[in-house]
Amino acid sequence: MSDRPTAIVEHPGYTIVENASLLGRNTLQVAARAELLIDVRKPEALTELFALPALGRLPLLVLGAGSNILFAGDWPGIVLSMATRGIAILEDRGDGALVRAEAGEAWNDVVSWSLARGLAGLENLVLIPGLAGASPIQNIGAYGTEIGEFIETVEAYDRHAGRIVRLDRAQCAFGYRDSAFKRAPDRYVISAIELALPRERPLRTGYAGIAEELAALGVDTPTPAHLAEAIARIRTRKLPNPALVGNAGSFFKNPVVTTAVAEALRREHPDLPAWPAGEDTMKLAAAWLIERCGFKGLREGDAGVSAEHALVLVNHGRASGAELLALARRIVEGVAQRFGVVLEPEPRIVGAS
Ligand code: FAD
Ligand code: EPU
């Protein structure tokens, strides 16, 4: 493909560009191109768009802010991005409220917006990059909270049904970094999320480091806003900033293994962090496994493992998606050989054979 993008359709509800660069649209800062890139500004345009023959013919990838995706190559089809905006209270329920966010809102703006209106719940999810519309895909989670707890409804264009549908929390089938949407990646285009947020709830300050951070802030009776500030500080210290060095946050999920496997590993490695993860299973710290294999801070060309956090792959400059994927594969092999645990990538990997 040549390097020149061409706008082929300017519609009040969307723009279609041919041969578009995705370099500025993924936080790993990998060079990749799409045959067609569609930015949707009005949700009602979705139904009209899906009536176009090209949308039935070409492979479709829905892209948010690109903070959880690795382009291992170009996308041989359509990339569709929801740029719809708006956050509103749909219903005041006294002790809480139903908040709707359109898919194109930045997730962290939803967090700040709700906290500023005296609504709690999202404080632990502060500073997670990405768009509101992507938040249900892997059921974003951090510091002891997952978005699935608050989702009342996800509104989406269902490509199987050919119309906008509304899914309740049970239909979303949320799990650890998992949902019904993640398991059917070609089916839904999420157009909005609706969150039931309480005015008050017991704050979740149990995650390692939070109490110390609140103390350092001089706060002894924290509000949700204090907790958000403490977590924002921890995150800023722990994770590389994608604006400075390309990354997609945790590149691997923390592996969930049977309690027997976890106990056997911990007999040999008593300092391996592990947490109960439901019936007879435990979650292991992937970062620890990777660090123990000697990968932390490793660099191969411009592809590397962060020296700040072993779970984060980084692009020091011009690493290609294929180079990052090759490094990820090396890590998976190394950890499997040493510990017998198979790591699974967290970001969606596209364009790889
Ligand atoms: P993208 O990366 O663009 O897309 C991710 C997936 O969602 C793709 O499969 C895509 O097809 C799909 N998708 C996106 N939008 C839609 C839509 N509207 N409809 C249907 N499918 C869609 N994640 C956590 O859970 N917890 C964290 O603490 C966390 N920390 C991070 C820290 C850093 C520094 C970075 C870079 C990432 C972090 N992440 C974290 C991962 C990432 O921020 C989240 O997964 C986020 O929800 C991705 O949003 P996005 O808009 O960038 O989605
Ligand atoms: N650790 C190491 N080496 C490191 C970094 C961490 O051994 O280089 C150990 C720590 O000592 C700690 C354990 O690993 O005992 C866990 O580390 P941390 O608290 O940083 O959390 P994590 O398990 O690595 C997960 C999520 C993050 C989320 C944080 C906070 C996954 C895959 N990642 O990271 O989410 O922000 O917890 O809740 O579940 C993301 O999904 O992109 C992401 C950043």
Side-chain angles (χ1 to χ4, degrees), residues 138 141-143 176-177 207 235 238-239 248-250 252-254 273 275 285 287-288 291 296 308-311 346:
Q138 72 159 7
Y143 297 88
Y176 165 62
R177 298 294 188 268
Y207 200 96
R235 293 184 64 98
K238 264 205 319 210
L239 294 168
S250 302
F252 300 100
K253 292 191 270 189
N254 285 324
W275 306 268
W288 187 96
E291 181 168 349
K296 189 170 180 176
E308 297 161 70
H309 202 298
L311 203 43
E346 182 191 283

Side-chain angles (χ1 to χ4, degrees), residues 23-350:
L23 180 57
R25 289 187 185 238
N26 72 94
T27 63
L28 272 166
Q29 296 171 16
V30 159
R33 301 191 82 82
E35 216 165 291
L36 292 178
L37 174 65
I38 308 180
D39 282 305
V40 180
R41 288 179 299 273
K42 294 194 176 157
E44 55 279 14
L46 276 177
T47 313
E48 188 181 320
L49 269 167
F50 279 102
L52 299 176
L55 271 94
R57 206 175 59 237
L58 293 167
L60 181 83
L61 172 72
V62 187
L63 186 64
S67 64
N68 213 26
I69 199 155
L70 170 63
F71 286 101
D74 291 332
W75 181 256
I78 299 173
V79 168
L80 184 145
S81 180
M82 294 301 289
T84 50
R85 307 296 297 271
I87 312 175
I89 291 183
L90 292 185
E91 194 183 318
D92 194 321
R93 295 172 172 171
D95 59 355
L98 183 64
V99 172
R100 177 179 166 104
E102 303 305 319
E105 286 290 340
W107 168 253
N108 198 48
D109 289 351
V110 181
V111 175
S112 314
W113 190 98
S114 60
L115 289 174
R117 279 154 189 81
L119 295 167
L122 305 186
E123 54 278 358
N124 295 55
L125 302 177
V126 69
L127 234 56
I128 297 181
L131 303 186
S135 63
I137 304 291
Q138 72 159 7
N139 181 23
I140 54 168
Y143 297 88
T145 297
E146 290 176 336
I147 183 64
E149 292 173 46
F150 302 102
I151 293 274
E152 190 163 293
T153 305
V154 171
E155 186 192 89
Y157 183 85
D158 177 352
R159 295 178 68 206
H160 289 187
R163 61 183 168 83
I164 296 277
V165 295
R166 291 171 60 79
L167 287 90
D168 64 23
R169 185 184 308 152
Q171 290 171 301
C172 295
F174 291 119
Y176 165 62
R177 298 294 188 268
D178 198 22
S179 70
F181 310 105
K182 197 165 175 182
R183 278 172 251 143
D186 295 329
R187 180 162 178 184
Y188 297 102
V189 181
I190 293 176
S191 50
I193 56 171
E194 294 177 7
L195 306 168
L197 299 178
R199 296 212 189 276
E200 276 180 38
R201 71 165 194 158
L203 293 182
R204 291 208 193 137
T205 56
Y207 200 96
I210 294 182
E212 293 78 358
E213 198 64 40
L214 286 168
L217 286 170
V219 175
D220 46 14
T221 42
T223 61
H226 287 131
L227 181 50
E229 187 182 346
I231 290 174
R233 285 173 176 237
I234 298 172
R235 293 184 64 98
T236 307
R237 265 202 314 272
K238 264 205 319 210
L239 294 168
N241 178 351
L244 304 176
V245 57
N247 75 87
S250 302
F251 197 88
F252 300 100
K253 292 191 270 189
N254 285 324
V256 176
V257 298
T258 63
T259 304
V261 167
E263 279 170 358
L265 280 166
R266 269 161 67 90
R267 270 195 295 279
E268 223 179 306
H269 312 282
D271 54 340
L272 163 62
W275 306 268
E279 211 183 305
D280 202 27
T281 56
M282 295 195 82
K283 202 187 270 180
L284 309 176
W288 187 96
L289 299 170
I290 295 168
E291 181 168 349
R292 276 304 166 98
C293 289
F295 290 117
K296 189 170 180 176
L298 175 83
R299 183 168 173 169
E300 283 178 351
D302 275 349
V305 179
S306 169
E308 297 161 70
H309 202 298
L311 203 43
V312 181
L313 291 199
V314 288
N315 182 354
H316 289 288
R318 297 167 67 96
S320 68
E323 287 165 341
L324 286 158
L325 184 57
L327 177 58
R329 285 186 171 139
R330 211 179 125 190
I331 293 170
V332 173
E333 276 163 28
V335 169
Q337 258 172 27
R338 171 107 190 253
F339 296 106
V341 174
V342 178
L343 296 180
E344 285 175 24
E346 182 191 283
R348 180 162 177 188
I349 298 172
V350 297

